[in-house]
Amino acid sequence: MDEPTAAPGRGRLRLLAGIAVSAVSLGAVALWATKQEPPRFPTAPGDIALIGLGTLVYAIATLARGYRWHTILRHGGIDHSPVDAFALVAVGYMGNTVLPARGGELLRIVLLGERSSARRREILGTVLGERLLDAATLALLFVILTLAHVAENPAGSRPGVIAAGTLVLGALVIVNYLRLRRRGHFEGFAARVRPVARAAKPLLTSLGAALATLTLGVWLLEGLIVWLVGHALHVDISLLEACFVLVLTAFFSLVPAAPGYVGTFDAAVVFGLKALDVTGGQAVAFGVLLRFILFFPITIVGLVALIARYGGLRRLRRA
């Protein structure tokens, strides 16, 4: 009898914890920013063009993510329109910006579920597959950055070793689980997770390796955006250093926070730039411009798609 109220209670607790984390993080970043010289934003046409190019690169990266989800859906046997696979990625990112607890992921599961004969648990499996690809390639990228002595600057080599160990351990767990399943073990557990796991099962084939390569390419594209922002501000950072800042923002996004990763994203950018000896007004401008490119255009595109194709703002209210 208590279960129906337990989940909403946990949800409210998570939301309050996220808001508290965001408030503390944002307050710390704001306090730090007030002690820096005023930021100087790009005004030269060439520098403004670099910001525009960064926005275009992010559009390409988003299209690549849409293609990735479309591929996972198709190989998972989930009927769908390719247009929905691309459009709902933008809707999901918009939802993550304005809804708590990464509500955009739930939003696209619900919306695709209304346009597909597949069960929502099966669609959930494809989203979890995406997240698994993101996590694995991020860990791999972090290992590469550690070997290149970029990620060692703020934290030493231990996090990179942990990331490498996690990748190896995860692979061993999956291989041994599949081996035991073929021998008839874990039947009860497999029956419970089968609707979710079936959609992500193709990732264990050569398709998974191809999609992991695509995902790594997407992260490198987003690292290129960080590099472009740096050069627009005349901040001398390499592409690998830009990827380091990006990886930090991705890891910080795992911390419960308010919608749009308010505070945590900004703290990650400041922390990463400080490790690269970028401080002062340049770091403030860097964080503002990077947040603009990564959050503002995709939120507008996702909102337009939601209104034009998926029933409008009432979907957000229901979510």
Side-chain angles (χ1 to χ4, degrees):
M1 294 297 292
D2 294 334
E3 190 171 347
T5 59
R10 288 194 297 269
R12 284 192 294 270
L13 182 61
R14 177 185 172 87
L15 176 60
L16 291 175
I19 292 174
V21 169
S22 284
V24 172
S25 301
L26 188 61
V29 171
L31 180 63
W32 168 85
T34 59
K35 298 180 180 179
Q36 313 304 315
E37 67 267 19
R40 296 188 302 275
F41 294 97
T43 55
D47 296 336
I48 295 175
L50 289 176
I51 300 301
L53 180 59
T55 305
L56 177 61
V57 170
Y58 191 60
I60 295 172
T62 303
L63 289 173
R65 289 186 181 277
Y67 174 77
R68 181 184 67 175
W69 193 33
H70 163 64
T71 303
I72 295 173
L73 289 167
R74 180 162 56 86
H75 285 268
I78 295 177
D79 64 289
H80 68 287
S81 166
V83 174
D84 288 323
F86 287 89
L88 285 175
V89 166
V91 171
Y93 273 68
M94 180 274 300
N96 288 341
T97 303
V98 302
L99 296 174
R102 297 185 70 92
E105 309 291 14
L106 176 62
L107 189 59
R108 62 176 172 142
I109 291 170
V110 170
L111 293 178
L112 184 60
E114 294 176 351
R115 292 170 170 261
S116 171
S117 61
R119 290 181 291 178
R120 290 178 180 176
R121 282 182 292 176
E122 294 172 330
I123 300 173
L124 169 64
T126 67
V127 174
L128 292 178
E130 283 188 301
R131 299 288 74 81
L132 179 62
L133 285 170
D134 281 330
T137 51
L138 269 176
L140 176 61
L141 186 55
F142 191 77
V143 171
I144 294 172
L145 292 171
T146 301
L147 293 175
H149 304 290
V150 176
E152 281 188 357
N153 291 339
S157 60
R158 185 174 299 175
V161 173
I162 293 174
T166 302
L167 284 174
V168 173
L169 179 61
L172 290 175
V173 167
I174 292 174
V175 168
N176 282 284
Y177 170 75
L178 293 176
R179 183 180 301 167
L180 291 171
R181 277 292 300 124
R182 283 192 287 268
R183 296 177 182 175
H185 298 284
F186 301 116
E187 185 57 41
F189 172 77
R192 288 193 295 272
V193 302
R194 188 171 290 122
V196 175
R198 183 184 294 118
K201 190 175 181 180
L203 297 181
L204 300 178
T205 67
S206 58
L207 174 69
L211 291 178
T213 303
L214 174 64
T215 304
L216 184 60
V218 169
W219 287 117
L220 291 176
L221 281 176
E222 295 188 2
L224 177 61
I225 296 169
V226 180
W227 183 84
L228 289 169
V229 170
H231 279 258
L233 292 168
H234 302 280
V235 174
D236 186 20
I237 62 172
S238 68
L239 183 57
L240 280 179
E241 290 170 336
C243 288
F244 165 68
V245 175
L246 177 72
V247 169
L248 276 185
T249 63
F251 284 146
F252 272 56
S253 71
L254 299 176
V255 179
Y261 317 109
V262 173
T264 54
F265 173 88
D266 311 278
V269 173
V270 170
F271 178 78
L273 291 176
K274 189 176 187 302
L276 301 176
D277 297 322
V278 179
T279 58
Q282 283 182 312
V284 176
F286 204 121
V288 171
L289 288 175
L290 189 58
R291 173 172 279 281
F292 172 83
I293 292 176
L294 296 183
F295 288 89
F296 184 73
I298 193 68
T299 299
I300 298 301
V301 172
L303 184 60
V304 170
L306 181 68
I307 293 173
R309 188 174 176 88
Y310 301 107
L313 296 177
R314 64 184 176 88
R315 293 296 188 187
L316 284 180
R317 290 195 292 270
R318 286 178 57 185

